Amino acid sequence: MMSAPRLEIDLRKIRHNARTLVERLGKRGISVTGVTKATLGSAEIAATLLEAGVKRLGDSRIENIEAMHLAQVPASMTLIRSPMLSQAKRVVMNADVSCNTEITVIRKLSFEAQQTDRTHGVILMVELGDLREGIMPDDLLDCVRETLSLPNIVFEGIGTNLACRSGVSPDGKNMAMLTEIADSIEATLGLTVEIVSGGNSANLEWALSGAEIGRINDLRLGEAILLGCETLHRQPIDGLHTDAITLCAEVIEAKIKPSMPSGRIAQTAFGEAPPVTDRGLVTQAILAVGQQDVDPSGLQAPNGIDIMGASSDHLILESVSNDLSVGTEVSFQLNYSALVRAMTSSFVTKFMTGMQQQNPR
Ligand SMILES: *Cc1c(COP(=O)(O)O)cnc(C)c1O
């Protein structure tokens, strides 16, 4: 018996998704940084992305990069969240490159790199309207200048991140600004800006639309590879698998119950009680999975099954047509939020298939 709840991770489908995006973007002169943050630094998934041709790996958490480092994943690793000052040493010890917006942090990275006799690459992130991380464009040149002057630090290039905080869409205008900024750094300082990282999965619509790509030569992709969707409208991407990762959970109670609660209604385990209507008797099942394991609002149930609610450890389903007797397993598709929570829950087993065969020696 396989344990439940579990994430079933089909590496073959992830490999296909990654390879498809690497090929489509490659035609446009853009390489892919495979983002592993939703996989908790899984060495198997990292290896799968590399087999598919991603150029480097990126993760927002140094812990995940350390895990991949320890597993000897053979790739250049970029920390894609600004390093904590308090983690500067771990960052230079484990990541080859980090994305930065604060000169104080870059100075500390330089200090730690000198202490350990390493060099560390720096990508400077530029604010282009989404108002999450990024140096204001007017302040960028000064920051590049000081970065160039710091011992054991290599200025690798620039990047931007859109959509995540405010939903600002990557488009011809903001992407052209990043190109102009790269050009102006080169013209002013007489150097080559190697990496111009245009963004994340939200950039795919723009990057594959046939638009002028300019200097953009890298995208950092996580969700599109793992879930097969672009992230501006969460539509499936043509030719990609949207079910590379599914969540399986087990029925622990199956009963006919009234649809109307009885008694005086106050708060539930997670706040306000939802409005209920009397639909008579319903066929209800409880799965042994809850808020502690997954974001229930990000689950998509199979046809004919409705998700009615969840508490810490219970997910309530109703179905007329499906047999949801005790012991039955139900599989769900997940959105990014459900995926991240399930990946990080120690109660959820990760079951992988489709590992590539090692070459016989
Ligand atoms: C998470 C993240 C990404 C990847 O985003 P997806 O939507 O998963 O493709 C890229 N860049 C940065 C800075 C991120 O934090």
Side-chain angles (χ1 to χ4, degrees):
M1 276 297 276
M2 274 193 275
S3 71
R6 68 178 175 278
L7 281 171
E8 296 199 337
I9 302 169
D10 188 337
L11 297 175
R12 237 174 281 111
K13 290 182 177 172
I14 292 175
R15 195 178 298 114
H16 168 87
N17 286 358
R19 187 169 286 149
T20 305
L21 291 170
V22 164
E23 280 168 5
R24 287 182 192 169
L25 290 168
K27 290 192 185 123
R28 315 237 60 216
I30 297 175
S31 63
V32 174
T33 296
V35 174
T36 50
K37 67 188 181 203
T39 76
L40 219 59
S42 152
E44 291 87 353
I45 295 177
T48 301
L49 299 182
L50 292 168
E51 284 154 16
V54 306
K55 189 161 180 186
R56 51 181 93 77
L57 297 175
D59 202 297
S60 52
R61 312 258 170 168
I62 194 63
E63 292 82 355
N64 293 345
I65 289 182
E66 285 168 350
M68 291 188 283
H69 201 190
L70 206 65
Q72 300 184 327
V73 173
S76 168
M77 304 274 181
T78 302
L79 182 68
I80 59 175
R81 183 172 71 181
S82 306
M84 294 181 214
L85 208 49
S86 59
Q87 293 184 336
K89 183 169 183 187
R90 290 169 73 178
V91 173
V92 300
M93 296 291 283
N94 292 282
D96 304 282
V97 176
S98 55
C99 294
N100 284 271
T101 61
E102 292 288 350
I103 197 67
T104 324
V105 173
I106 306 172
R107 287 183 197 131
K108 185 83 183 294
L109 294 170
S110 168
F111 172 79
E112 296 294 353
Q114 291 172 73
Q115 296 295 304
T116 53
D117 204 20
R118 287 159 193 267
T119 56
H120 184 75
V122 163
I123 293 176
L124 295 177
M125 298 296 278
V126 188
E127 171 59 55
L128 289 181
D130 199 55
L131 307 182
R132 206 180 70 178
E133 76 273 31
I135 300 162
M136 296 304 284
D138 285 349
D139 300 331
L140 188 63
L141 263 181
D142 282 346
C143 193
V144 177
R145 273 198 197 92
E146 182 166 352
T147 300
L148 289 167
S149 76
L150 290 169
N152 299 46
I153 293 292
V154 178
F155 170 63
E156 296 278 356
I158 59 173
T160 196
N161 195 74
L162 296 174
C164 286
R165 181 195 163 182
S166 310
V168 171
S169 303
D171 59 20
K173 195 162 170 221
N174 45 40
M175 289 296 103
M177 275 178 75
L178 197 62
T179 287
E180 274 169 41
I181 290 168
D183 286 343
S184 93
I185 292 171
E186 293 187 346
T188 314
L189 300 175
L191 50 80
T192 309
V193 178
E194 299 284 348
I195 299 175
V196 183
S197 189
N200 52 52
S201 295
N203 285 62
L204 283 168
E205 196 175 86
W206 165 80
L208 299 173
S209 69
E212 183 61 53
I213 293 301
R215 293 288 306 274
I216 312 303
N217 60 13
D218 174 79
L219 289 182
R220 310 173 304 272
L221 303 182
E223 183 168 347
I225 294 175
L226 299 173
L227 298 180
C229 282
E230 54 81 42
T231 55
L232 290 175
H233 318 286
R234 296 262 152 40
Q235 291 304 306
I237 298 171
D238 198 33
L240 299 200
H241 298 290
T242 55
D243 60 350
I245 306 179
T246 54
L247 179 83
C248 268
E250 183 178 328
V251 177
I252 52 173
E253 181 188 298
K255 295 194 188 307
I256 309 284
K257 293 200 180 182
S259 51
M260 274 299 270
S262 46
R264 280 200 312 133
I265 304 294
Q267 288 199 359
T268 72
F270 285 87
E272 292 306 311
V276 282
T277 49
D278 193 351
R279 294 168 291 115
L281 291 176
V282 294
T283 310
Q284 175 180 297
I286 300 178
L287 298 190
V289 68
Q291 297 272 6
Q292 208 178 133
D293 313 290
V294 72
D295 176 1
S297 68
L299 293 177
Q300 192 187 322
N303 282 339
I305 298 179
D306 293 316
I307 299 172
M308 305 307 293
S311 54
S312 310
D313 310 299
H314 298 83
L315 187 72
I316 318 294
L317 305 181
E318 281 181 20
S319 179
V320 185
S321 50
N322 295 59
D323 171 26
L324 297 179
S325 52
V326 172
T328 306
E329 288 189 341
V330 183
S331 286
F332 301 84
Q333 282 191 217
L334 307 94
N335 72 5
Y336 196 72
S337 144
L339 172 65
V340 169
R341 206 184 296 174
M343 273 284 182
T344 46
S345 170
S346 59
F347 298 102
V348 179
T349 321
K350 285 82 188 177
F351 180 75
M352 303 202 193
T353 56
M355 228 85 75
Q356 199 153 71
Q357 296 289 313
Q358 297 292 327
N359 290 328
R361 282 168 199 259

